[in-house]
Amino acid sequence: HTVFMPRASAADEQTAEDEIATKLNLAKAYVELGDKDGAKGILDEVLADGNEEQKQAAQKLIRQLD
């Protein structure tokens, strides 16, 4: 799958937290579509870069994949 992430303009920059939230939503969509590998890759990024709350949400989704 090719995923295009929207680029924010200088006046409308996304914070890193917003970007991780977007990745979490994308991973949830992958799970719903049955693409566990795609979801896992994105969730690994969330675990690496997210805040504590986002990491917990990612871990919960990963447990659902297994």
Side-chain angles (χ1 to χ4, degrees), residues 28-40:
K28 288 177 188 173
Y30 275 37
V31 171
E32 289 173 10
L33 292 170
D35 184 353
K36 292 181 178 184
D37 291 337
K40 180 85 171 67

Side-chain angles (χ1 to χ4, degrees), residues 19-20 23 39-50 55 58:
E19 188 176 323
I20 298 299
K23 287 182 179 182
K40 180 85 171 67
I42 295 167
L43 291 169
D44 286 341
E45 291 178 36
V46 174
L47 289 174
D49 301 329
K55 288 178 183 182

Side-chain angles (χ1 to χ4, degrees), residues 43 56-66:
L43 291 169
Q56 287 176 0
Q59 288 171 338
K60 183 178 178 184
L61 275 172
I62 289 169
R63 284 193 298 273
Q64 291 175 5
L65 295 176
D66 294 333

Side-chain angles (χ1 to χ4, degrees), residues 6-20 22:
R7 294 242 179 243
S9 67
D12 183 34
E13 283 193 42
Q14 284 188 312
T15 65
E17 201 167 288
D18 289 340
E19 188 176 323
I20 298 299
T22 299

